[in-house]
Amino acid sequence: GQNIDQPTEMTATEGAIVQINCTYQTSGFNGLFWYQQHAGEAPTFLSYNVLDGLEEKGRFSSFLSRSKGYSYLLLKELQMKDSASYLCAVGSVGANNLFFGTGTRLTVIP
Amino acid sequence: GAVVSQHPSRVICKSGTSVKIECRSLDFQATTMFWYRQFPKQSLMLMATSNEGSKATYEQGVEKDKFLINHASLTLSTLTVTSAHPEDSSFYICSARGHQSNQPQHFGDGTRLSIL
């Protein structure tokens, strides 16, 4: 089966850097996705990692280590609008759907 | 980027009513569509997966006669909540993806369903 763990809540200060971790266990790993979800809205796609290493996209970066079953999402120069839930989702070979973690609720404070 | 449109965004209706929610991929062919349900402050719960032209695959515990899914074309899937009751009140979200499983799912804006 699949198991995905991420912290439930985090708080960080505007302008700072925050790292949201995700650990996973799955058979036939087929990529890891990060999504952002603001309260009352649907998730929006942020990043995709399938090979080890860092993928950078503006203020957001995502890292993957397949051997450790570990990923993180790094948010730089935090803005108030970054307050949202961040969902880690894992694909598995042979499975049509993604397996979502419970999400990390990030609160950015002034 | 990929755009998925979900309609309606909000529904308020009486108990016993059937409600249809549409999910459309506007700029790509959605071989596979997914229907999720989300309660406040909880994660997405996958209800069913549908592939164009075939019957939906429902997750354990989801009643297929209660939640009817149709995926008749590569751009449209519908979810019908039949004879809705207050306990069906929730946020329903669809997502769509191309034919490769390592492609990202793109989500619609969700439908907030409130049954009185």
Side-chain angles (χ1 to χ4, degrees), chain B residues 20 29 39 55-56 60 63 72-73 77 80 84 100-101:
Chain B
K20 181 188 267 190
Q29 292 187 327
F39 291 105
K55 288 184 179 180
Q60 193 171 7
E63 299 175 58
S73 77
S77 177
T80 301
Q100 293 187 6
S101 61

Side-chain angles (χ1 to χ4, degrees), chain A residues 30-31 33 35 37 39-45 48 50 87 91-98 100-103 105, chain B residues 32 34 36 38 41-44 46 49-51 59 91 93-94 97 101-110 112:
Chain A
N30 194 27
F33 299 79
Y35 286 84
Q37 185 178 23
E41 299 180 13
T44 55
F45 169 70
Y48 169 65
V50 67
L87 309 177
S92 181
V93 172
N96 218 352
N97 57 303
L98 295 178
F100 282 86
T102 53
R105 193 173 306 114
Chain B
T32 306
F34 305 87
Y36 295 87
Q38 188 175 37
K41 297 188 178 181
Q42 294 188 21
S43 187
L44 299 170
L46 179 66
T49 302
S50 73
N51 292 300
E59 295 300 301
F91 190 46
I93 313 174
C94 73
R97 190 200 71 203
S101 61
N102 61 355
Q103 292 174 311
Q105 294 180 25
H106 298 281
F107 287 84
D109 288 334
R112 190 160 304 281

Side-chain angles (χ1 to χ4, degrees), chain A residues 46-96:
Chain A
L46 289 179
S47 69
Y48 169 65
N49 295 71
V50 67
L51 300 176
D52 290 350
L54 189 68
E55 294 282 341
E56 296 187 72
K57 214 185 258 188
R59 293 190 299 116
F60 293 3
S61 303
S62 56
F63 171 83
L64 175 68
S65 168
R66 288 171 296 171
S67 61
K68 295 181 180 177
Y70 167 68
S71 173
Y72 67 71
L73 181 69
L74 193 71
L75 292 76
K76 302 176 186 175
E77 300 168 19
L78 278 173
Q79 301 175 8
M80 299 300 291
K81 67 178 183 179
D82 296 330
S83 293
S85 285
Y86 291 86
L87 309 177
C88 172
V90 174
S92 181
V93 172
N96 218 352

Side-chain angles (χ1 to χ4, degrees), chain B residues 5-19:
Chain B
S5 172
Q6 185 173 341
H7 178 81
S9 59
R10 186 171 182 94
V11 179
I12 302 173
C13 57
K14 293 181 179 179
S15 185
T17 307
S18 291
V19 178

